[in-house]
Amino acid sequence: MSLSTKISDAFARSMTSFFRFFADTFFGRNYGKRALILETVAGVPGMVGGMLTHLYSLRRLQKGNGTKIQELLDEATNERKHLMFFMEIVHPSVLERVLIILVQFIFWHYYLMMYMFFPRTAHRMIGYFEEEAVNSYTSYLALINAGEIEDVPAPQIAIDYYADLEEGAMLSDMIVCVRRDEMHHAKVNHAYADERL
C-alpha cells in the first residue's frame, strides 16, 4: 500500500471517528433520533457521487460509468427511504428540523469538495460511515431485543418497500432490512475506493 493510500485511508477513518463522536454526543442511546438525523446526511454521498460521475461522463463523452451512476443514485434513494421509515416512528422537534437543515448544508458542501478532488478518499470514508451505521443499527436492535426500546409495528411504507417484510412486521424486522442495506452500501463504496488504487 502506497503512502498516499495510507494517508487517504487514515483521513477517511479520522473523519468517520469525528462524525461518530458528534453522533454519540448528541444522541447517545437514542437510536431513533440518531437514525432520523443521520439518514438525512446519508442520502447526500450517493447523490453527489452520481451527479459528479454523470457530469464527468458528459464532459469526457464517455459511454461508460452508467452502472456506477445508477448505483450511486440508487444508494441515495435507498437512504432517503430509510429517512421516510424513521419519520413515521420518530417525530423531530423544530430544533431538530433546524439541525437537519444545517447539518445537511454543511455536509453537502464538504462532501462535494472532497468528491471533486479526492473521490477515492470520499468513497472510502462513506464505506467506513456505512460500517458505523451497521454498528449503530446492531446496537439499536440489541436494545429492542433487550426490551429497553419498544418494538413497535413497522411503518407501512417500509413493509411496502421491502419484499421480505410481511404485514404485521415490527420495528426490529425493519431494522434488520435497513442494516442489510447499509452493509451493501459499505461494500460498494469500499469497492469503488479500491478501483482507484
Side-chain angles (χ1 to χ4, degrees):
M1 186 183 292
S2 70
L3 178 60
S4 63
T5 299
K6 288 179 180 177
I7 292 171
S8 170
D9 286 1
F11 180 79
R13 279 197 183 278
S14 70
M15 287 295 94
T16 304
S17 297
F18 175 77
F19 287 112
R20 176 67 193 245
F21 169 78
F22 278 100
D24 289 344
T25 301
F26 278 100
F27 306 112
R29 288 164 49 105
N30 189 339
Y31 286 98
K33 291 276 176 86
R34 177 192 293 252
L36 180 75
I37 303 295
L38 295 183
E39 291 294 355
T40 67
V41 173
V44 169
M47 185 59 66
V48 168
M51 176 189 72
L52 291 180
T53 304
H54 171 74
L55 294 175
Y56 178 81
S57 291
L58 294 177
R59 287 194 308 274
R60 299 289 298 266
L61 307 176
Q62 289 180 334
K63 294 180 182 177
N65 286 332
T67 302
K68 180 178 181 181
I69 293 166
Q70 192 57 55
E71 190 155 35
L72 290 169
L73 294 178
D74 287 347
E75 177 184 313
T77 300
N78 178 255
E79 298 288 14
R80 187 180 66 81
K81 284 289 187 179
H82 294 171
L83 174 64
M84 298 301 108
F85 305 159
F86 286 104
M87 281 288 293
E88 297 289 320
I89 296 166
V90 180
H91 305 288
S93 67
V94 173
L95 180 61
E96 286 161 346
R97 287 176 181 271
V98 171
L99 180 63
I100 286 168
I101 293 168
L102 180 63
V103 169
Q104 190 185 77
F105 178 82
I106 292 169
F107 188 74
W108 166 269
H109 290 89
Y110 170 76
Y111 193 74
L112 179 67
M113 291 296 105
M114 179 182 278
Y115 203 94
M116 286 175 69
F117 297 107
F118 308 102
R120 197 192 80 75
T121 305
H123 279 299
R124 185 68 76 205
M125 184 179 77
I126 299 308
Y128 292 145
F129 277 18
E130 299 293 1
E131 288 174 4
E132 287 295 334
V134 170
N135 293 337
S136 290
Y137 283 120
T138 299
S139 297
Y140 194 178
L141 198 56
L143 290 175
I144 292 171
N145 291 336
E148 294 184 42
I149 295 175
E150 184 182 359
D151 196 9
V152 298
Q156 189 62 45
I157 187 175
I159 294 169
D160 294 340
Y161 183 71
Y162 290 114
D164 52 346
L165 282 188
E166 299 178 355
E167 294 297 329
M170 304 301 286
L171 173 61
S172 55
D173 302 314
M174 183 190 85
I175 290 173
V176 168
C177 294
V178 170
R179 182 178 62 179
R180 183 181 61 215
D181 291 342
E182 306 295 8
M183 288 176 187
H184 176 70
H185 299 327
K187 181 179 177 181
V188 166
N189 278 279
H190 282 311
Y192 284 140
D194 290 342
E195 280 180 8
R196 293 177 172 269
L197 288 175

